[in-house]
């Protein structure tokens, strides 16, 4: 790529223009009682080197230019100290905080979670390990403002403030995950939370850095597969967990080592489980015109069939970390088989109810069921160079290539295969321009998507984006202002077969005639997406702040939203994209006058994170023009007759849903309040509320998650850590005409952890109890809510160790 070649030349030139300046900064880090703080990290802003303080809180670090030291420590507010490039001796005092402070890698400007203008949550450390589930959606759904789409526990994607799929970008170390989770809710994300160092959730538009697919937010999974700090000794971790609700066993391991700047990383996860148990629930009635209304017998179930998982993934990485230059590369492999619940094929005469579903043994169950076989190979490269220039601080480049395949296996044979090959590159230059500190960059992606088989309701397409972006910040006393802009060229190309749009089939034996009539239309469209943002955070008192941000973001439709035309068996519907028009029972491809989705978002946050009492309260309002969503056409599709009215159709006909474009508004509140009752006792209260409507009184948007309100008690004594949490999900009755309301439910969860002293191995025993009261709960945002309730009572028993 020409742009990357130019960037590489610039870096090479910089290598020969190094400054000879050198200085030694020494100092001591203390708390407010003037007691030393050990193991505090002291980092040179914009460069690779960092050190930690000793038992006396003292440190020593070499620098070669004036700049800034960033000092951080758990349970303390981060501090930044200016250095002048000469030998200095510093005394730095850190203020304790009531919440954890973590550097947010997705912020791009090295900000921690308390300095962010946009609201952010970070799960890290043991907190992440305890909450980790097989999917990102289930791992994150307890956070304020975050819910899950839930297509069973192994296919569940995050929903942020009512937005999901094409509007929430899921990244791994800042690069797109590049799976097929945006094509349909039955497609699992390819990220594993067990291998993560931390998971970051950015609410509100993050399009400036991550593209138009982040119009609703970003979930960034951070791991250390490419080490960016030197590793001097052999370290590792291992974990084993057993879940009772699905008889699942999970194994995870990590090893890291290094020598003289060269570093190596390995991690792997193995998970195998069976169908999960639920409280007894009534299965949805199958429509049968021959049954009277007084028929009172209902089929019940106490588990959700075909929800097994058999997954393994490994990641290898290596890097060289010098004083200024960091180079690294990694490779990851994922192989996952998982059941797809409620996956019914209407061409089958009977639904198989074989007893093998109760036995949950061996491969025979997998061969009889419809399940997904996911494979992914992912390569990543990273380069960073810290310059000595007065205004350029750092040049970095991230590149990635992902080869993803998702095959659906029906009765032991391959049915539909979805594939996605993605190339991505992100080059950035961090700089100082006068009093402004910021980043400028170039972002390139190319995604080659294909689908072949019965469920290939979206044609093959190639999507390319080229974007330039800039993000700048400046401090005015206690106020930090942030401005940003992005221009993105978005191009989509596809070969659309007109045979897919003439459903006047007569008999199966005449299918060859359809092939002769097939006409291929080479469709190509270019969109220019513009995005702007402005925000400010005011630290009006130590440990207290208020933040306001305004953004305008544009998004072009994905291929699934634009070009879908076919049966989507997972959702039990016939789907049509924006590019089609229905006239006299015929489907015509007329992709003209499609406007971009444009979101204007306002965010107001109040935060307190000092002392025993703290809170984060976020208010948001999102005004969206040309919001893309699926609406019922009032028609159904029958394989023999094509489109027809529901009154005239057979019971096996599928409802026809088409993507529409209308103005909408989403608004709400999310909050997290905590109080440190005593050194050993912490109480939290959290919740969220989202309202999502079409404008002009046209009703509510479909599948918007229910509001929730929860509380958690944490207690520590000796080597024990206990927690008890209760979350109430309210009834969701703000629904469209083709939805049904969802009753509310309350989930109680508890956990206990015990630290063992086993010499060089830091060991922790734990037990987590989910849904203690065995409550029956249905997820309103799920396409299959009536067929797949939430799991029943579950005990997770495990052990983890670090060395």
């Amino acid at each position: 790529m020409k742009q990357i070649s130019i960037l590489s030349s610039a870096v090479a030139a910089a290598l020969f223009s190094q400054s000879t300046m050198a200085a030694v900064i020494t100092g001591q880090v203390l708390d407010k009682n003037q007691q030393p703080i050990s193991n505090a990290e002291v980092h040179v802003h914009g460069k690779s080197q960092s050190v930690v303080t000793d038992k006396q809180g003292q440190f020593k670090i070499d620098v070669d230019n004036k700049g800034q030291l960033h000092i951080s420590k758990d349970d303390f507010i981060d501090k930044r100290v200016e250095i002048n490039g000469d030998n200095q001796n510093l005394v730095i005092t850190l203020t304790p905080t009531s919440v954890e402070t973590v550097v947010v890698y997705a912020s791009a400007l090295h900000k921690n979670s308390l300095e962010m203008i946009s609201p952010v949550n970070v799960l890290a450390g043991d907190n992440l390990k305890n909450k980790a589930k097989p999917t990102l959606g289930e791992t994150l759904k307890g956070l304020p403002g975050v819910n899950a789409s839930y297509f069973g526990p192994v296919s569940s994607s995050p929903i942020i403030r009512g937005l999901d799929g094409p509007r929430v970008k899921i990244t791994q170390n800042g690069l797109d995950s590049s799976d097929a989770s945006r094509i349909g809710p039955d497609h699992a994300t390819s990220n594993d939370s067990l291998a993560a160092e931390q998971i970051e959730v950015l609410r509100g538009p993050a399009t400036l850095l991550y593209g138009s697919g982040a119009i609703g937010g970003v979930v960034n999974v951070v791991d250390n597969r490419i080490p960016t700090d030197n590793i001097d000794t052999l370290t590792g971790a291992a974990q084993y967990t057993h879940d009772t609700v699905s008889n699942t066993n999970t194994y995870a391991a990590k090893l890291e080592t290094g020598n003289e700047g060269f570093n190596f990383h390995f991690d792997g996860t193995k998970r195998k489980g069976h169908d999960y148990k639920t409280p007894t629930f009534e299965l949805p009635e199958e429509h049968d015109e021959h049954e009277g209304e007084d028929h009172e017998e209902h089929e019940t179930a106490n588990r959700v069939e075909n929800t097994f998982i058999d997954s393994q993934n490994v990641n290898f990485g290596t890097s060289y970390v010098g004083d200024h230059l960091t180079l690294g590369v990694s490779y990851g492999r994922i192989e996952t088989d998982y059941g797809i619940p409620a996956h019914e094929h209407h061409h089958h005469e009977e639904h198989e109810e074989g007893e093998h579903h109760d036995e949950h043994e061996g491969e025979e169950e997998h061969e009889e069921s419809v399940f997904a076989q996911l494979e992914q190979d992912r390569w990543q490269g990273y380069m960073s160079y810290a310059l000595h220039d007065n205004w350029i601080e750092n040049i970095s480049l991230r590149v990635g290539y992902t080869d993803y395949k998702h095959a659906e296996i029906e009765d032991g044979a391959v049915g539909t295969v979805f594939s996605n090959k993605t190339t991505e590159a992100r080059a950035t230059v961090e700089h100082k321009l006068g009093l402004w500190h910021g980043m400028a960059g170039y972002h390139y992606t190319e995604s080659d998507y294909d689908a072949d088989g019965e469920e290939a309701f979206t044609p093959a397409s190639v999507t390319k984006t080229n974007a330039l972006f800039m993000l700048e910040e400046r401090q005015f006393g206690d106020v930090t202002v942030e401005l940003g802009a992005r221009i993105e060229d978005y191009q989509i190309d596809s070969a659309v077969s007109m045979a897919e749009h003439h459903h006047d089939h007569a008999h199966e034996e005449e299918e060859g005639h359809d092939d002769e009539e097939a006409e291929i239309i080479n469709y190509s469209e270019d969109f220019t997406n513009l995005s702007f943002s402005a925000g400010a955070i005011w630290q009006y008192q130590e440990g207290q702040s208020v933040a306001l941000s305004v953004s305008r973001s544009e998004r072009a439709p994905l291929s699934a939203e634009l070009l879908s035309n076919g049966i989507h068996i997972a959702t039990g519907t016939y789907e049509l994209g924006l590019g089609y028009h229905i006239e006299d029972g015929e489907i015509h491809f007329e992709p003209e006058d499609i406007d971009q989705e444009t979101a204007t978002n306002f965010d107001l946050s109040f935060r307190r994170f000092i002392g025993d009492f703290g809170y984060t309260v976020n208010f948001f309002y999102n005004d969206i023009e040309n919001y893309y969503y699926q609406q019922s056409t009032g028609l159904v599709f029958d394989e023999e007759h094509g489109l027809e009215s529901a009154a005239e159709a057979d019971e096996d006909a599928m409802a026809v849903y088409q993507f529409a474009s209308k103005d909408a508004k989403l608004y709400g509140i999310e909050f997290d309040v905590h109080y440190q009752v005593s050194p050993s006792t912490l109480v939290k209260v959290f919740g969220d509320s989202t309202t999502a409507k079409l404008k002009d009184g046209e009703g509510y948007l479909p599948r918007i998650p229910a509001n929730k309100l929860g509380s958690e008690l944490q207690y520590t004594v000796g080597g024990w850590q206990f927690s008890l949490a209760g979350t109430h999900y309210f009834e969701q009755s703000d629904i469209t005409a083709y939805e049904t309301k969802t009753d509310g439910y309350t989930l109680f969860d508890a956990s206990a952890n015990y630290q063992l002293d086993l010499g060089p191995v830091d060991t922790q025993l734990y037990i987590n109890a989910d849904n203690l009261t065995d409550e029956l709960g249905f997820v309103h945002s799920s396409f299959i809510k009536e067929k797949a309730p939430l799991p029943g009572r579950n005990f997770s028993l495990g052990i983890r160790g670090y060395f």
Side-chain angles (χ1 to χ4, degrees), residues 630-666:
Q630 287 180 303
Q631 68 174 7
S632 174
T633 63
L635 302 173
V636 296
F637 173 80
D638 181 85
E639 291 188 352
E640 182 177 354
H641 302 101
L643 298 184
E644 55 185 348
S645 67
E648 302 172 353
D650 295 335
E651 62 182 44
D652 286 340
M654 290 185 173
V656 178
Y657 284 79
Q658 183 170 18
F659 279 95
S661 175
K662 294 184 179 180
D663 295 345
K665 57 183 178 181
L666 296 88

Side-chain angles (χ1 to χ4, degrees), residues 130 240 719-721 751-758 762-768 796-802:
N130 291 333
Y240 166 75
W720 287 94
Q721 294 178 325
S751 68
N753 303 289
Y754 182 69
Q755 295 289 141
L756 292 174
D757 185 7
L758 297 179
D762 181 11
T763 305
Q764 186 179 83
L765 299 174
Y766 57 91
I767 177 171
N768 299 329
S796 301
L797 312 170
I799 182 172
R800 65 173 66 99
Y802 306 90

Side-chain angles (χ1 to χ4, degrees), residues 556-621:
L558 296 184
S559 60
E561 297 169 307
L562 181 62
L563 304 175
S564 292
N565 182 17
I567 297 172
H568 193 178
I569 297 176
T571 61
T573 60
Y574 190 98
E575 294 190 4
L576 276 177
L578 290 161
Y580 300 98
H581 175 67
I582 300 175
E583 184 176 352
D584 298 328
E586 290 289 333
I587 300 174
H588 304 277
F589 185 56
E590 299 176 358
E592 291 87 18
D593 301 324
I594 296 176
D595 295 321
Q596 289 130 298
E597 187 177 271
T598 304
T600 303
N601 188 83
F602 300 86
D603 241 301
L604 178 63
S605 300
F606 298 91
R607 304 167 193 165
R608 175 189 169 94
F609 41 86
I610 191 172
D612 294 331
F613 175 69
Y615 55 80
T616 299
V617 182
N618 305 318
F619 299 91
F620 67 92
Y621 182 88

Side-chain angles (χ1 to χ4, degrees), residues 2 133 188 259 323 372 397 423 432 435 461 505 518 522 767:
K2 183 176 179 181
K133 296 290 190 295
N259 184 41
D323 289 338
L397 172 67
T423 303
K432 281 188 176 180
L435 298 177
S461 63
H505 302 306
N522 292 319
I767 177 171

Side-chain angles (χ1 to χ4, degrees), residues 196-211:
E197 300 286 331
Q198 65 186 51
I199 301 178
E200 306 163 349
V201 181
L202 279 67
R203 297 171 183 80
T207 56
L208 299 178
L209 295 177
Y210 297 99

Side-chain angles (χ1 to χ4, degrees), residues 226-228 326-329 380-384 394 396-399:
I226 299 180
T228 54
T326 299
L327 290 171
V329 64
Q380 287 187 354
Y382 175 70
M383 183 278 294
S384 174
N394 183 276
S396 68
L397 172 67
R398 286 191 181 273
V399 295

Side-chain angles (χ1 to χ4, degrees), residues 150-198:
Y150 201 76
F151 205 92
V154 294
S155 181
S156 181
S157 298
I159 299 175
I160 300 178
R161 295 176 171 178
L163 302 176
D164 65 347
R167 300 176 182 88
V168 173
K169 177 80 78 173
I170 298 176
T171 63
Q172 186 266 325
N173 292 332
L175 296 181
D176 198 317
S177 293
S178 304
D179 51 38
S181 59
R182 298 180 181 186
I183 301 300
D186 57 322
H187 295 251
T189 61
S190 58
N191 302 90
D192 194 301
S193 54
L194 277 177
E197 300 286 331
Q198 65 186 51

Side-chain angles (χ1 to χ4, degrees), residues 278-329:
T278 69
T280 300
F281 68 101
E282 292 184 358
L283 291 169
E285 293 185 39
E286 300 292 336
H287 298 290
D288 191 342
E289 297 177 357
H290 301 290
E291 292 184 1
E293 292 187 7
D294 59 349
H295 181 69
E296 297 182 356
E297 294 184 6
H298 298 282
E299 186 178 358
T300 62
N302 58 11
R303 70 171 67 244
V304 177
E305 297 183 351
N306 202 25
T307 53
F308 72 88
I309 185 171
D310 188 353
S311 174
Q312 47 274 325
N313 67 75
V314 294
N315 297 298
F316 300 91
T318 184
S319 68
Y320 169 76
V321 179
D323 289 338
H324 307 282
L325 178 66
T326 299
L327 290 171
V329 64

